[in-house]
Amino acid sequence: MIGLSAPERPLLRLSLRRLERIAPRMTRMVVTGPAIAHVTPGPFTDTYVRLVIPRPGVTLPENLDLRRMHAELPRSAWPRIRTYTVRSLDPAAAELAIDIYDHGRAGLTRSWLSGLRIGDPVLMGDLRGLYRPGPEADWHLLAGDAVALPAIAVTLAAMTPGTRAKAVIEVADAADEQPLPTAADCAVRWVHRSRGESLVEAVRALPFDPGVVQAFVHGEGGAMRELRRFLLRERGMRKELLSISGYWRRGLTDEQWRRAKAMSAER
């Protein structure tokens, strides 16, 4: 099921409660603050937030939202934006958690995380979402790399008994695998790059069950292009039941990838 983005609201002004290394290449950031009590998670299992990273020496004004930012601030003061899935939300404990994958190279988020201390401010955009498993499907396909793993984990946790699903997840090696609790009848295939395996090849080799399939397929942009073609053209999936997007692109920064996607959409 596909959702619509909510109207823009002022940034959530939170603070860091803790950082946890949950896998060799995955860090869980847990933030807190009174604003969490007013957050509405919505029905989507890919709920995400835009993490707002201010530039050094720049203090962002109160009540700023991401649309006003470009209109009211000079370009030199614009913060950098990174988008992450909400791994968990606990209003009672006033905690929101996101899992951040480390690609193994120097970058904006890695540098920013390394300088964070407990209690430091963390700014986020409002929660949004686009996907949830729907009852119109006979079974569900969840496929992605480690960057999509948090959304896949949330989706599996939300599935009810009797739901049939298959998950294909590409990670560096076995150390990056995570427990995926679910009440669904789900077969999980871990794909290890260390063994020369790839997400595209694993999805192509996957036996497809009879009936209507709904799919959530997210990860590296080049792989997503191949899988979009495979699922729509070769497997004949219904377009409205396919949630697919490139979260990142090998060799490009986040800003470069977003510009490339915007230019492609304009053609």
Side-chain angles (χ1 to χ4, degrees), residues 31-105:
V31 295
T32 188
I36 291 179
H38 307 290
V39 167
T40 303
F44 305 108
T45 59
D46 71 338
T47 298
Y48 63 89
V49 292
R50 285 172 288 182
L51 187 62
V52 178
I53 305 177
R55 295 189 181 267
V58 174
T59 300
L60 298 177
E62 296 286 336
N63 297 318
L64 185 71
D65 66 47
L66 294 174
R67 289 198 182 103
R68 289 174 47 215
M69 178 181 73
H70 289 169
E72 300 181 9
L73 297 179
R75 180 178 290 271
S76 60
W78 290 357
R80 274 73 63 86
I81 309 297
R82 296 293 184 267
T83 303
Y84 294 99
T85 299
V86 175
R87 187 63 178 81
S88 64
L89 175 65
D90 186 344
E95 289 189 348
L96 182 150
I98 62 176
D99 290 354
I100 300 174
Y101 182 72
D102 187 344
H103 289 274
R105 59 180 182 271

Side-chain angles (χ1 to χ4, degrees), residues 167-201:
V168 183
I169 307 166
E170 179 187 287
V171 292
D173 51 43
D176 279 329
E177 295 181 12
Q178 295 182 25
L180 296 173
T182 183
D185 176 9
C186 180
V188 178
R189 161 79 192 281
W190 292 98
V191 177
H192 295 163
R193 291 193 304 277
S194 62
R195 296 199 294 243
E197 300 170 345
S198 79
L199 179 68
V200 172
E201 292 173 353

Side-chain angles (χ1 to χ4, degrees), residues 236-252:
M237 272 200 66
R238 288 163 49 183
K239 189 174 182 180
E240 70 274 17
L241 292 180
L242 174 60
S243 172
I244 186 166
S245 179
Y247 279 165
W248 62 287
R249 184 62 186 262
R250 190 170 285 104
L252 298 181

Side-chain angles (χ1 to χ4, degrees), residues 209-220:
D209 292 347
V212 176
V213 57
Q214 182 184 14
F216 178 85
V217 184
H218 292 256
E220 195 275 329

Side-chain angles (χ1 to χ4, degrees), residues 15 18 20 36-37 44 64 78 90 113 130 133 153 160 164 197 200 206-207 218 228 238 247 253 257:
S15 63
R18 62 185 179 274
E20 306 170 359
I36 291 179
F44 305 108
L64 185 71
W78 290 357
D90 186 344
L113 281 177
L130 294 170
T160 56
R164 292 190 294 120
E197 300 170 345
V200 172
L206 188 73
H218 292 256
R228 182 191 300 273
R238 288 163 49 183
Y247 279 165
T253 66
W257 176 226

